[in-house]
Amino acid sequence: MTRSGGRGPRRWIRWWRRQSLRTRMTVIAATAIAVSVFVSFQVASELMDRKLRATAADQLHADSRVLAANAERAGLAQVPLPPYPGSGRLVRVILPDGSTRTPVGQPALPPVSEDARRVAQGAATDLLESTDWNDGYRVYTLRSGDGAVQVADLADDSPINEFGFGMLLIGLFCVAGGALVGRAVARTGLAPIDRLTAAAVHVAQTRDLDADIPDEGGGEIRRLTQSINNMLTALRDSRQAQRLLAEDAAHELRTPLTSLRLNVELLIRLDRRGTLDSALPAESRTRLLHDLGAQLAELSTLAAELTEVARGDVSDESTELIDLADVVVAAATRARSRMPDIEVALDVSSVWVSGRPAALQRAVLNLIDNAGKWSPADQPVQVRLFTEGAWAVLEVDDAGPGIDAADVPRVFDRFYRADSARALPGSGLGLSIVQRVVDAHGGRAGVARSARGGALLQVGLPAASPPTTSEWLTAGEDTAVR
């Protein structure tokens, strides 16, 4: 029973949700008018019924006083009662013995009630009562002499019924008019949304992101239009960034791919001629294979960096409270394995930050790799980590030639490489990845002149309070469970 009883409301809810906003507004407008008409009809009917009852009661009071005055002058038994004319008020005289007198030809009235008899006996002065006898009467009893007189009229509900029928017709017209007005209002009010929908469909079909939607209307419609235009602007910027990334990637990939292809083609031609051993001595062959390995490593690094850049800020790695010193030590260890000829000197202290460990380690590794490209073999890359106010500051210092003043503003730009760096391996993406990671963590990155004459790359991250002992133990337990 409970399930079947709940199907009806759910069915109506599903039907309502499937309707358009225009239909909903029309139904709401028509329903509101129908409820208003119904409430107005109920209130007006009640007021009209009370007014008619009060008017009828006043008339009965007046007629009964006239009849009572005549009965006191002539006596209850002799008061003249003209024959009933066929319509109008009904009268009756209650004699002291309980008998009654009525005009000739008058319809029969309901029997005298016990309350009316008490009025005739002097227990009360008057009484107004309604009866359900036959069609229903309103009877007013007034004490007169040793008995009482009664004046009655037939309860007539025809004015109320006529009023109700009129209100019903008016209500139907109002509901129909309300539905039409609601439909028109909905059509007018939703016209800007229709235009927005058409514009969105046009963008989806034509892929044209350059045409902004006209800013019409006000309030919510204007904010919606501005939001859509902002979304189109973001999509245009994203598409432009993708285009630039593809163009820059193609440009950067062209040189190592061309060199790799030429070397491979040379090996293939010599091998087909059978002159590989004679044309390429062992020393030259070793050098060529070394070049091929270096080119493949450069392509691998470039592909990884392009993937990192293309991903943007999208990452499945969660933010956690970490000791940045651990991240720096891990990045330096990886850098030493990649650049065995370069010494990495660490001077780090424990500094806690809130961040993504893998992303921060990649940024630190890129900073050390960049410094290793410029640092002489006999000069170490110095990495320092310390606290400065509310910031965790990381400095990577090399003893290379430094960065020209003209190149400083573009050091962290994507694919930017100074003229002096063209001969060195790299894609120009490493420091741009550093900048993106730092921005994602609410930090700042900069470059300055090192005291040793080289470049000093600085990264500042908001420092965090170290975990309490209980938090540290809980984290250790969680790690042990994993």
Side-chain angles (χ1 to χ4, degrees):
M1 295 297 293
T2 304
R3 291 184 179 178
S4 60
R7 291 177 182 174
R10 287 198 298 268
R11 187 181 299 112
W12 279 106
I13 291 174
R14 288 195 298 269
W15 175 86
W16 179 255
R17 290 175 176 174
R18 288 196 299 267
Q19 304 308 308
S20 64
L21 183 57
R22 186 177 287 106
T23 301
R24 294 186 188 185
M25 293 181 66
T26 302
V27 172
I28 290 173
T31 303
I33 292 177
V35 171
S36 300
V37 171
F38 176 76
V39 173
S40 300
F41 167 71
Q42 293 294 329
V43 174
S45 297
E46 183 66 23
L47 294 176
M48 184 176 181
D49 183 60
R50 291 184 180 181
K51 183 63 177 178
L52 291 177
R53 288 177 182 273
T55 301
D58 292 342
Q59 188 63 44
L60 291 176
H61 294 170
D63 292 345
S64 63
R65 284 193 293 269
V66 173
L67 181 57
N70 294 335
E72 289 178 359
R73 286 194 300 267
L76 292 173
Q78 287 80 28
V79 63
L81 298 176
Y84 183 67
S87 62
R89 300 287 190 273
L90 307 178
V91 298
R92 181 166 58 187
V93 176
I94 303 176
L95 299 175
D97 59 1
S99 61
T100 61
R101 293 179 57 213
T102 57
V104 178
Q106 176 179 280
L109 282 171
V112 179
S113 66
E114 291 298 326
D115 293 334
R117 290 186 185 278
R118 284 195 292 270
V119 173
Q121 295 170 1
T125 58
D126 61 352
L127 172 69
L128 178 63
E129 55 187 342
S130 299
T131 68
D132 294 330
W133 189 75
N134 289 343
D135 293 331
Y137 287 92
R138 285 186 293 266
V139 181
Y140 183 72
T141 305
L142 179 64
R143 172 76 174 169
S144 178
D146 294 334
V149 296
Q150 289 184 320
V151 179
D153 65 352
L154 186 64
D156 185 11
D157 293 333
S158 59
I160 298 295
N161 294 333
E162 292 175 359
F163 175 76
F165 181 72
M167 288 294 294
L168 176 62
L169 293 179
I170 293 174
L172 292 176
F173 281 115
C174 289
V175 171
L180 294 176
V181 171
R183 190 77 175 179
V185 171
R187 183 182 297 109
T188 303
L190 297 177
I193 296 182
D194 292 337
R195 289 192 289 271
L196 288 176
T197 303
V201 171
H202 173 75
V203 171
Q205 292 177 346
T206 62
R207 311 293 185 185
D208 181 14
L209 303 177
D210 296 328
D212 287 338
I213 299 175
D215 191 357
E216 301 176 356
E220 294 80 2
I221 300 298
R222 184 168 189 174
R223 289 197 296 271
L224 177 60
T225 304
Q226 292 174 346
S227 299
I228 293 179
N229 283 332
N230 292 337
M231 180 185 67
L232 291 176
T233 301
L235 290 175
R236 284 196 298 269
D237 294 341
S238 177
R239 187 171 65 179
Q240 180 66 16
Q242 291 177 357
R243 183 182 295 114
L244 292 176
L245 177 61
E247 293 174 354
D248 292 340
H251 173 75
E252 294 296 329
L253 287 169
R254 186 178 299 116
T255 300
L257 282 176
T258 300
S259 177
L260 183 63
R261 179 175 58 83
L262 293 175
N263 288 330
V264 171
E265 289 178 352
L266 174 61
L267 291 175
I268 292 175
R269 282 199 306 269
L270 294 177
D271 183 65
R272 287 177 178 174
R273 297 174 182 173
T275 59
L276 181 59
D277 294 334
S278 59
L280 280 179
E283 182 180 353
S284 299
R285 190 161 53 245
T286 301
R287 186 170 58 254
L288 180 59
L289 292 176
H290 178 75
D291 291 342
L292 288 174
Q295 290 160 4
L296 286 174
E298 184 177 355
L299 283 174
S300 299
T301 302
L302 179 58
E305 291 178 340
L306 286 173
T307 302
E308 184 75 16
V309 171
R311 289 176 59 190
D313 293 330
V314 179
S315 177
D316 297 332
E317 189 181 10
S318 59
T319 300
E320 58 186 79
L321 190 62
I322 57 175
D323 189 348
L324 191 57
D326 296 338
V327 174
V328 173
V329 170
T333 301
R334 291 183 58 187
R336 290 189 183 105
S337 64
R338 294 169 60 166
M339 299 181 298
D341 297 335
I342 301 299
E343 179 185 355
V344 179
L346 295 180
D347 180 12
V348 299
S349 58
S350 179
V351 182
W352 291 85
V353 297
S354 178
R356 302 198 297 263
L360 289 174
Q361 186 179 134
R362 178 62 187 271
V364 176
L365 180 60
N366 286 358
L367 288 173
I368 299 176
D369 281 346
N370 180 79
K373 295 175 185 177
W374 299 97
S375 185
D378 58 343
Q379 294 291 331
V381 173
Q382 296 180 355
V383 179
R384 295 182 291 273
L385 176 64
F386 55 92
T387 303
E388 187 176 273
W391 293 88
V393 180
L394 173 68
E395 293 183 345
V396 179
D397 183 345
D398 66 69
I403 301 176
D404 294 339
D407 296 327
V408 169
R410 303 191 60 188
V411 165
F412 295 98
D413 289 352
R414 183 182 300 176
F415 290 109
Y416 180 75
R417 301 181 70 187
D419 293 337
S420 57
R422 297 295 178 182
L424 296 176
S427 62
L429 290 173
L431 293 184
S432 69
I433 294 174
V434 172
Q435 181 70 66
R436 184 177 56 78
V437 173
V438 171
D439 290 341
H441 287 77
R444 58 196 182 191
V447 60
R449 172 71 66 173
S450 168
R452 297 188 294 163
L456 176 63
L457 296 174
Q458 297 174 315
V459 168
L461 298 174
S465 300
T468 61
T469 304
S470 59
E471 292 175 339
W472 180 264
L473 292 176
T474 302
E477 292 175 359
D478 294 341
T479 305
V481 171
R482 295 192 191 99

